[in-house]
Amino acid sequence: MRSRELIVYRNFEAGRAGTLHRMEKLVRECEKTASEKPDSAGGAREDGAETFYECIHELIGQAGVYGFHGNLWHCYLTHLLVTHENGYSRGCEMRGEIQGTINDAVLHDMRIFKEFFDYDFSFLCGRLGVEEFSFAQQYRNGTGEAEVYNARICQCICGLAEKLGRAATAEEMKDILTEFYRNYGVGKLGLHKCFRIGRDENARVCMEPIPRIAHVKLDDLVGYELQKKKLTDNTEAFLAGRAANNCLLFGDAGTGKSSSIKAIANAYYDRGLRVIEVYKHQFQDLNEIISQIKGRNYKFIIFMDDLSFEDFEIEYKYLKAVIEGGLEKKPENVLIYATSNRRHLIRENYGDKEEIRQDMHTGDTVQEKLSLAHRFGVTIYFGSPDKKQFQGIVKALALRHGIDMPEEELLARANQWELSHGGMTGRMAQQFIDYLRGCGPELHGERRCGAAKPE
């Protein structure tokens, strides 16, 4: 083991390569004393065994955090490779193999990593009298969810670990890893769909991955076909490198605006789309976030949910400058999608248009409040469905979830539900169906859902 000779894949994030370095040091020390009898240095042997157990502990701990299974040593090494952002991995993300001398440097590193993958721990285990390393070589993870990655990402990394472990040569390892970068990308941007703005340990602005988001599909949103087409057409143009606009989805509450954005994130992840959720109080950090993503080979949607401003809120001025109006051009790989119940985003009063008010230039006041909404080139209206449409949504959701109930009874109870729960919207329809699902397998009539009626 010789990690000190790595060229491209070195300087891992703080603490990430600690297990590798400890294991490597332990191997070197054992190889130096290979000619000595195992019992001739009892203290050193005990210290070495303690370090080895610590490494096993860390590997199993990482399995719980990331959801790894199988050969945890291989999964750990693979994780180092897929999260290391360097000139080669960034160049390959979403595009495939790049040209240049850097390929020779990466191949040099792959030869070292192949030694890591192929290392036979039987000598080390025998030297230290440790048999428990088998726990980490054939590890079966529990059913609990990982803290960092969802099941899909875990399978990707564990599957890649198996391929790298079976690779016959360093050249084959390099090809396998390059293909992974092309399909998924590198680092947190490659492995995750969605992010939020946070702060790192040094209080610097950073993107924090959102490990699990709702697996919503556009087909799950019943109706709104024109709205969905308008949204997907704009997103398709963006991903294809054609001209595309910032989008504002506005309209009544509970009509599927936010769900549509989640569905877009799920649908286009494999084409390099990433979504960054931003809240109003974080608008001042937008320039820093954009500077971090503008040179990457992904397409980014900055998502602002339930966007609206009161008279006294001035955060929208940061947003106006970011969208359009600053000296620096907005990167071509960034768009802004927002949802709101308000068409014009900023609260307006009749007083804004009354010339008797103290403001001498009332027209300027109105234009100032409309200027933010005008920066969204595509506006999509999501209105509440009428009764017929609402009933159609209820029937479609009931069929999707396998609810067996006479249509007349289903619609009567749905109407009763919406009257007492806020009106006819897709959200109310979904909540009604969730109520029925929670009643158990027998859904026909009030007596089988208990005496209580929907409240």
Side-chain angles (χ1 to χ4, degrees), residues 182-234:
R182 187 184 71 83
N183 291 332
Y184 297 98
V186 59
K188 61 185 178 182
L189 289 178
L191 296 174
H192 295 274
K193 300 176 183 178
C194 300
F195 304 83
R196 61 171 62 93
I197 294 180
R199 300 276 173 172
D200 62 16
E201 60 275 8
N202 298 315
R204 293 175 299 197
V205 177
C206 67
M207 289 182 294
E208 297 178 345
I210 302 175
R212 288 172 290 277
I213 67 171
H215 293 289
V216 182
K217 299 179 181 179
L218 282 173
D219 290 341
D220 296 336
L221 184 61
V222 181
Y224 301 99
E225 299 304 321
L226 292 177
Q227 291 88 336
K228 290 187 290 186
K229 186 178 187 306
K230 198 172 182 180
L231 181 63
T232 55
D233 285 349
N234 190 73

Side-chain angles (χ1 to χ4, degrees), residues 394-405:
V394 169
K395 289 189 289 185
L397 292 176
L399 179 64
R400 181 179 300 164
H401 293 287
I403 294 178
D404 184 16
M405 180 181 290

Side-chain angles (χ1 to χ4, degrees), residues 52 86 133 174 188 215 310 345 348 376:
F52 199 50
N86 54 64
F133 193 66
K174 177 177 175 294
K188 61 185 178 182
H215 293 289
E310 300 299 328
L345 301 178
E348 299 176 80
F376 291 90

Side-chain angles (χ1 to χ4, degrees), residues 370-402:
L370 294 177
S371 61
L372 176 59
H374 290 167
R375 281 170 163 79
F376 291 90
V378 173
T379 55
I380 307 174
Y381 174 63
F382 284 72
S384 295
D386 57 27
K387 185 172 183 178
K388 182 178 180 180
Q389 291 170 329
F390 175 74
Q391 291 179 341
I393 295 173
V394 169
K395 289 189 289 185
L397 292 176
L399 179 64
R400 181 179 300 164
H401 293 287

Side-chain angles (χ1 to χ4, degrees), residues 67-271:
F68 297 156
H69 54 83
N71 190 320
L72 298 186
W73 173 244
H74 287 181
C75 290
Y76 166 69
L77 295 173
T78 301
H79 192 246
L80 291 179
L81 292 171
V82 300
T83 57
H84 192 279
E85 297 187 8
N86 54 64
Y88 182 77
S89 61
R90 284 192 177 190
C92 292
E93 66 181 6
M94 312 307 296
R95 292 187 303 186
E97 188 172 4
I98 60 175
Q99 304 299 316
T101 306
I102 194 171
N103 285 278
D104 298 327
V106 170
L107 185 56
H108 166 273
D109 287 359
M110 287 302 103
R111 294 191 182 100
I112 295 175
F113 265 94
K114 181 156 179 57
E115 293 179 12
F116 296 160
F117 273 88
D118 293 346
Y119 183 78
D120 185 359
F121 283 93
S122 59
F123 165 76
L124 192 62
C125 293
R127 187 72 185 169
L128 299 175
V130 174
E131 300 178 356
E132 287 80 6
F133 193 66
S134 60
F135 297 160
Q137 291 178 305
Q138 300 175 355
Y139 190 78
R140 291 177 296 176
N141 214 329
T143 57
E145 291 187 330
E147 299 174 20
V148 176
Y149 294 143
N150 59 35
R152 179 191 57 81
I153 297 176
C154 292
Q155 288 302 120
C156 288
I157 295 178
C158 293
L160 178 62
E162 292 181 7
K163 292 181 180 179
L164 293 175
R166 293 194 302 264
T169 64
E171 288 81 1
E172 186 179 348
M173 286 184 67
K174 177 177 175 294
D175 291 341
I176 292 171
L177 187 60
T178 301
E179 182 67 12
F180 184 90
Y181 291 149
R182 187 184 71 83
N183 291 332
Y184 297 98
V186 59
K188 61 185 178 182
L189 289 178
L191 296 174
H192 295 274
K193 300 176 183 178
C194 300
F195 304 83
R196 61 171 62 93
I197 294 180
R199 300 276 173 172
D200 62 16
E201 60 275 8
N202 298 315
R204 293 175 299 197
V205 177
C206 67
M207 289 182 294
E208 297 178 345
I210 302 175
R212 288 172 290 277
I213 67 171
H215 293 289
V216 182
K217 299 179 181 179
L218 282 173
D219 290 341
D220 296 336
L221 184 61
V222 181
Y224 301 99
E225 299 304 321
L226 292 177
Q227 291 88 336
K228 290 187 290 186
K229 186 178 187 306
K230 198 172 182 180
L231 181 63
T232 55
D233 285 349
N234 190 73
T235 306
E236 290 272 2
F238 178 48
L239 294 174
R242 303 193 302 271
N245 282 291
N246 301 312
C247 282
L248 173 63
L249 284 62
F250 73 98
D252 300 320
T255 52
K257 301 183 295 295
S258 300
S259 296
S260 296
I261 303 298
K262 296 174 187 176
I264 289 292
N266 289 321
Y268 296 107
Y269 161 77
D270 59 353
R271 291 178 57 182

